[in-house]
């Protein structure tokens, strides 16, 4: 059962090229969330990152590896951790291993023996039977499903079909299948199922360089200098929607998630105030969205 | 300081009569008090045409005699350093035509001199005030192109071959640095201002377009810069076509920018974006040409904008502190390119790493 009111933290790093400052801000964010980050002792942590294409973080499409490094440092310093697994699965147009090495994540995470990278698509599978909105059973990565603590580390960006893509949509990427595109006609329900099958314990969003326009991969980078975090995926994404100037009630998967109580839309902000840091993002035009909606309906039959 | 700034002009040649005097004449808050020019014919002609109250044969004489607040140094390149130094010694603010000095050391001496004396030293890199390059700079500050991978910069034009002025012979004086220090310094200044470029290593070749020239007038250089940027520079005098263009390619888009063209290429948008770009450029070009034909607007030329910033900086209304350090940085890059030509292989830049060069707004 989700909390009645979730806490969502927002921090802003004025100079995103200053590694020391970004690290301080990442620590500040995690310290703001403090006690709500409840990892069990000797925890196996999975961090699901968004590496949707072989694009660097400055395009606004993928997560900044520095932030994940600082998260790893914080977890190892402040919590009892057995292992941290940085995870992503193959996507229709992506080999996750190639993205991980190609984007230099192995180098960023070098020096942390308790950390390893995992391609969820190549992991051992476990069958999950549940009453989802689209799925009734699923084959998921065993490491992912059996993790003591799951962190969704998403990117702040727009999405041509869903309006926005943050933590909830990032969980769609945990589906260990390559041809995820086949689920696009049912994307709203599938996103909700993926949150339901293993709700993230901590939701983090890299908004240092966000993306606007025809996201999630073809949009334009937008310098926001923000990092957002919370323990409720719906609340965190609602805040992210507001940060991009989008009403969360107009985001299909947030609307559906709220209806099915996958999280709460009631939140308390700590750190920066939304109104001080929110900007009006460019979203794809309504006619194009309407066309995509229509195409989706036709595909659904 | 007087309410109306008193300006002295060191050199009354082409750039002064074409650019600076019309810009200054359009401002009510400055008075051109005097000018110095060694060529008597040019001196008298300019004095009569613009009504300059007093003129002198040498700038030393003018600096001695006239109560001034600021000077414009518009001499042949080889004479910039001495004239700017003399003016700074007298506590005058200096607008110095590019390049500021003939080498990095001279530029650095002048910058430090101005810094110590609390005076404005403004390099005459007026191209940075062009709206296209200002837009490009803003785009890069906002990180709209993603991580920058490549930069191609070109500056080619006829140069002094079409006879600007009977006295343009000094352009062929090897001490003046030729096309590298002429248009090349503008190009590098734009790269510093727009893309915050810091070249680390350069390979370059140069040659002469005409066999009898005393200096090379055609350069091609490839460079590697800080933040893993690679790129090329092409410079030439003697072409009939005229182009000053930067092409900046990042992981999220490309930018093609020149004084008469601006295009931001993004991953999507295709045909519609291209059409919109073409229409915007055509509209701008037509507006510019129409306004140039219908009415001369000296208050809105690039030199006039540079003058406005200079005057406002003297009055403490804007900060141009970094401009002079940008000019030093340009010199280090020019010297690296020249050394690469001479050396015939890659040369490392000697630019001091400890200084930060964040450009002022």
């Amino acid at each position: 059962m989700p909390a009645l009111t979730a806490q969502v933290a927002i921090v802003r790093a004025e100079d995103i090229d200053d590694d020391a400052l970004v690290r301080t801000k990442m620590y500040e964010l995690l310290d703001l969330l403090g006690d709500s980050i409840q990892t069990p002792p000797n925890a196996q942590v999975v961090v699901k990152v968004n590496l949707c294409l072989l694009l660097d973080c400055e395009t606004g499409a993928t997560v900044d590896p520095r932030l994940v490094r600082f998260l790893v440092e914080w977890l190892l310093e402040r919590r009892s951790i057995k292992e941290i697994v940085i995870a992503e699965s193959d996507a229709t147009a992506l080999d996750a291993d190639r993205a991980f090495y190609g984007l230099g994540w192995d180098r960023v995470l070098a020096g942390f023996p308790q950390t390893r990278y995992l391609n969820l698509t190549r992991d051992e599978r476990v069958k999950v039977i549940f009453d989802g909105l689209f799925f009734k059973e699923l084959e998921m990565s065993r490491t992912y499903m059996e993790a003591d603590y799951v962190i969704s580390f998403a990117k702040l960006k727009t999405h041509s079909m869903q309006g926005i893509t943050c933590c909830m949509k990032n969980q769609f990427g945990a589906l260990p299948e390559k041809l995820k595109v086949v689920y696009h006609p049912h994307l709203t329900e599938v996103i909700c199922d993926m949150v339901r099958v293993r709700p993230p314990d901590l939701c983090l969003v890299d908004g240092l360089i966000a993306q606007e326009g025809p996201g999630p991969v073809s949009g334009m980078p937008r310098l926001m200098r923000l990092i957002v975090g919370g323990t409720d995926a719906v609340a965190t994404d609602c805040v992210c929607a507001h940060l991009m100037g989008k009403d969360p009630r107009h985001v299909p998967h947030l609307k559906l998630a709220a209806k099915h109580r996958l999280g709460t839309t009631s939140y308390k902000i700590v750190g920066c105030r939304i109104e001080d840091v929110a900007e009006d993002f460019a979203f794809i035009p309504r006619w194009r969205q309407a066309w995509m909606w229509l195409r989706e309906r036709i595909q659904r039959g | 300081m007087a309410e109306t700034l008193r300006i002295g002009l060191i050199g009354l040649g082409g750039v002064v009569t074409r650019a600076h005097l019309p810009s200054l004449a359009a401002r009510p808050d400055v008075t051109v008090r005097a000018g110095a020019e060694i060529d008597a014919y040019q001196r008298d002609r300019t004095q009569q045409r613009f009504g300059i109250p007093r003129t002198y044969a040498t700038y030393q004489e003018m600096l001695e005699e006239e109560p001034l607040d600021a000077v414009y140094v518009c001499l042949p390149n080889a004479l910039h350093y001495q004239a700017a130094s003399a003016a700074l010694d007298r506590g005058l603010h200096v607008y110095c035509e590019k390049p500021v000095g003939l080498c990095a050391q001279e530029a650095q001496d002048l910058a430090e001199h101005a810094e110590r004396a609390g005076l404005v030293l403004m390099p005459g890199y007026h191209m940075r005030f062009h709206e296209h390059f200002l837009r490009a700079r803003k785009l890069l500050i906002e990180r709209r192109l993603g991580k920058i991978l490549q930069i191609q910069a070109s500056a080619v034009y006829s140069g002094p071959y079409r006879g600007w002025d009977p006295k343009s012979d000094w352009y062929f004086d090897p001490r003046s640095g030729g096309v590298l220090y002429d248009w090349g310094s503008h190009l590098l200044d734009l790269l510093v201002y727009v893309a915050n470029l810091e070249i680390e290593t350069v390979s370059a070749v140069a040659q002469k377009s005409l066999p009898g020239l005393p200096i090379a007038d055609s350069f091609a250089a490839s460079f590697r810069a800080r933040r893993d940027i690679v790129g090329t520079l092409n410079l030439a005098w003697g072409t009939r076509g005229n182009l000053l263009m930067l092409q900046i390619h990042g992981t999220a888009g490309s930018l093609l920018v020149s004084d008469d063209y601006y295009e931001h290429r993004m991953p999507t948008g295709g045909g519609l974006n291209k059409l919109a770009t073409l229409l915007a450029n055509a509209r701008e070009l037509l507006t510019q040409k129409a306004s140039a034909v219908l009415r001369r607007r000296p208050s809105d030329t690039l030199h006039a904008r540079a003058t406005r910033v200079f005057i406002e900086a003297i009055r403490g209304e804007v900060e141009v502190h970094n401009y002079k350090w940008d000019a030093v940085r340009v010199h280090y890059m020019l010297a690296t390119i020249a050394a690469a030509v001479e050396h015939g292989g890659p040369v490392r830049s000697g630019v001091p790493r400890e200084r930060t060069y964040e450009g002022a707004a």
Side-chain angles (χ1 to χ4, degrees):
Chain A
M1 194 68 180
L4 288 176
T5 300
Q7 184 170 265
V8 179
I10 306 170
V11 295
R12 182 177 159 99
E14 275 308 316
D15 181 0
I16 66 161
D17 296 321
D18 182 345
D19 288 351
L21 175 70
V22 174
R23 184 179 186 274
T24 305
K25 289 294 169 184
M26 188 67 193
Y27 269 54
E28 188 183 315
L29 177 96
L30 295 166
D31 289 338
L32 281 170
L33 296 170
D35 292 341
S36 58
I37 303 176
Q38 293 179 342
T39 54
N42 205 29
Q44 165 100 358
V45 177
V46 167
V47 184
K48 161 66 181 78
V49 293
N50 187 338
L51 297 181
C52 55
L53 272 181
L54 204 54
L55 295 170
D56 70 289
C57 59
E58 289 190 48
T59 59
T62 55
V63 169
D64 189 332
R66 289 179 306 166
L67 293 181
V68 179
R69 184 191 166 95
F70 300 146
L71 167 69
V72 166
E73 286 177 13
W74 187 91
L75 286 169
L76 294 175
E77 276 176 30
R78 311 278 171 95
R79 296 289 187 271
S80 162
I81 301 294
K82 184 173 121 197
E83 188 183 40
I84 301 172
V85 180
I86 311 299
E88 175 60 300
S89 66
D90 288 346
T92 309
L94 170 84
D95 179 306
D97 296 296
R98 184 173 297 161
F100 186 75
Y101 294 107
L103 296 173
W105 281 66
D106 51 336
R107 272 168 279 164
V108 172
L109 297 169
F112 296 99
Q114 288 150 293
T115 307
R116 71 178 164 102
Y117 164 71
L118 175 69
N119 181 345
L120 295 170
T121 308
R122 297 186 184 180
D123 192 30
E124 189 186 337
R125 304 282 176 94
V126 56
K127 188 176 274 187
V128 185
I129 297 170
F130 75 118
D131 185 24
L133 297 167
F134 179 75
F135 294 114
K136 299 303 168 195
E137 68 171 53
L138 261 177
E139 284 210 337
M140 294 290 291
S141 145
R142 180 177 290 280
T143 311
Y144 180 78
M145 291 306 293
E146 292 179 357
D148 300 315
Y149 199 80
V150 169
I151 300 173
S152 175
F153 211 135
K155 191 82 176 176
L156 186 75
K157 50 188 177 174
T158 55
H159 192 278
S160 305
M161 296 164 76
Q162 292 287 322
I164 70 158
T165 161
C166 294
C167 289
M168 286 193 67
K169 170 67 174 56
N170 183 38
Q171 294 313 100
F172 174 57
L175 192 63
E177 293 176 29
K178 185 165 174 61
L179 281 172
K180 293 187 187 69
V181 71
V182 299
Y183 298 114
H184 273 189
H186 315 279
L187 192 56
T188 307
E189 293 82 359
V190 172
I191 290 171
C192 290
D193 281 356
M194 289 307 297
V195 172
R196 179 180 283 187
V197 75
R198 180 57 176 97
D201 302 291
L202 176 62
C203 301
L204 298 170
V205 185
D206 166 13
L208 294 179
I209 294 180
Q211 189 176 112
E212 66 177 348
V217 293
S218 302
M220 202 200 292
R222 180 151 186 159
L223 185 62
M224 288 288 280
R225 305 184 176 95
L226 301 178
I227 318 171
V228 185
T231 48
D232 185 292
V234 176
T236 308
D237 279 11
C238 282
V239 170
C240 289
H242 283 301
L243 289 173
M244 291 187 266
K246 182 94 177 165
D247 186 339
R249 289 172 299 181
H250 297 155
V251 178
H253 63 264
L254 283 178
K255 203 168 142 187
L256 193 63
K259 184 179 161 193
H260 289 273
R261 300 192 175 193
L262 297 179
T264 176
T265 51
S266 169
Y267 49 79
K268 182 183 155 217
I269 299 291
V270 288
C272 302
R273 297 189 314 165
I274 291 179
E275 53 271 38
D276 292 341
V277 291
E279 291 184 19
D280 277 329
F281 274 42
F283 291 89
I284 64 161
R286 282 183 189 280
W287 65 265
R288 203 168 147 192
Q289 224 164 5
W291 163 242
M292 293 177 99
W293 178 86
L294 185 66
R295 201 175 56 182
E296 188 187 313
R297 300 289 140 180
I298 294 166
Q299 281 173 350
R300 276 188 189 205
Chain B
M1 190 186 298
E3 198 147 296
T4 304
L5 287 178
R6 297 160 299 182
I7 307 285
L9 300 168
I10 300 180
L12 296 173
V15 72
V16 170
T17 52
R18 274 196 319 270
H20 295 310
L21 270 168
S23 306
L24 289 165
R27 295 192 66 92
D29 54 350
V30 299
T31 314
V32 177
R33 293 267 313 198
E37 169 62 51
I38 198 161
D39 183 306
Y41 171 74
Q42 181 74 15
R43 187 170 66 234
D44 294 343
R45 198 174 66 158
T46 308
Q47 182 175 26
Q48 281 165 21
R49 187 173 155 205
F50 290 94
I52 300 170
R54 275 179 292 278
T55 55
Y56 299 85
T58 67
Y59 67 82
Q60 291 90 340
E61 219 180 324
M62 181 183 82
L63 296 178
E64 189 71 42
E65 296 292 326
E66 293 292 329
L68 299 170
D69 297 307
V71 294
Y72 278 62
V73 176
C74 308
L75 298 173
N77 293 355
L79 304 173
H80 287 175
Y81 177 73
Q82 288 83 352
S85 280
L88 289 170
D89 279 339
R90 293 195 165 266
L92 305 181
H93 302 285
V94 174
Y95 182 105
C96 185
E97 267 302 329
K98 56 85 196 168
V100 179
L102 271 185
C103 62
Q105 192 54 54
E106 286 188 359
Q108 190 151 338
D109 283 352
L110 289 174
E112 283 168 1
H113 192 161
E115 191 109 320
R116 275 196 310 274
L119 296 166
V120 174
L121 170 63
M122 172 114 170
Y125 290 120
H126 59 275
M127 289 308 294
R128 57 165 65 189
F129 300 106
H130 194 289
E131 45 279 84
H132 286 182
F133 296 112
L134 291 169
R135 268 170 78 187
R137 175 177 153 85
K138 183 166 178 282
L139 199 82
L140 271 102
I141 287 173
E142 290 174 352
R143 313 287 276 261
R144 297 292 198 168
L145 297 184
K147 177 178 162 51
I148 304 304
L149 302 176
Q150 290 236 358
I151 295 179
Q152 283 122 45
S154 305
V156 298
Y157 77 132
S158 59
Y161 304 161
R162 290 171 72 181
W164 292 330
D165 191 293
K167 293 197 283 106
S168 62
D169 277 356
W170 66 264
Y171 275 88
F172 299 105
D173 178 350
R175 287 180 307 157
S176 289
V179 68
L180 186 59
Y181 281 71
D182 172 35
W183 223 211
S185 62
H186 269 305
L187 194 63
L188 288 168
D189 179 65
L190 286 175
L191 288 171
V192 167
Y193 188 63
V194 172
N196 195 21
L197 189 80
E198 274 188 44
I199 286 179
E200 288 179 340
T201 55
V202 180
S203 294
V205 288
Q207 64 181 35
K208 299 171 184 177
S209 65
L210 300 168
L213 289 175
I215 47 171
D217 62 352
S218 181
F219 283 77
S222 60
F223 64 81
R224 196 178 64 209
R226 205 166 60 84
R227 292 175 284 137
D228 303 324
I229 299 169
V230 293
T232 55
L233 289 166
N234 293 86
L235 293 168
W237 275 342
T239 65
R240 293 304 272 183
N242 182 353
L243 179 74
L244 174 70
M245 178 172 254
L246 307 182
Q247 294 179 36
I248 304 175
H249 306 286
T251 53
S254 290
L255 181 69
L256 285 72
V257 56
S258 77
D259 53 348
D260 58 6
Y261 189 77
Y262 184 94
E263 182 181 354
H264 177 193
R265 288 193 181 177
M266 287 172 282
T268 55
L272 279 178
N273 269 1
K274 279 184 189 144
L275 187 62
T277 301
L278 283 172
L279 289 173
N281 280 294
R283 185 175 149 232
E284 197 176 318
L285 198 65
L286 288 171
T287 314
Q288 271 175 11
K289 294 289 174 204
S291 85
V293 170
L294 295 173
R295 56 195 172 108
R296 289 266 170 211
R297 292 188 303 166
S299 61
D300 198 30
T301 62
L302 297 182
H303 284 97
R305 290 178 202 173
T307 283
R308 179 173 53 78
V309 171
F310 178 52
I311 303 299
E312 287 175 359
I314 292 171
R315 296 193 185 283
E317 292 160 8
V318 296
E319 177 55 76
V320 294
H321 170 85
N322 287 311
Y323 286 23
K324 58 182 177 292
W325 296 113
D326 286 348
V328 177
R329 198 160 137 192
V330 165
H331 258 301
Y332 274 108
M333 294 199 270
L334 289 167
T336 310
I337 295 169
V341 170
E342 199 171 319
H343 185 260
V347 169
R348 284 197 72 78
S349 164
V351 64
R353 300 301 301 272
E354 68 276 9
R355 190 174 287 285
T356 56
Y357 293 103
E358 289 306 316

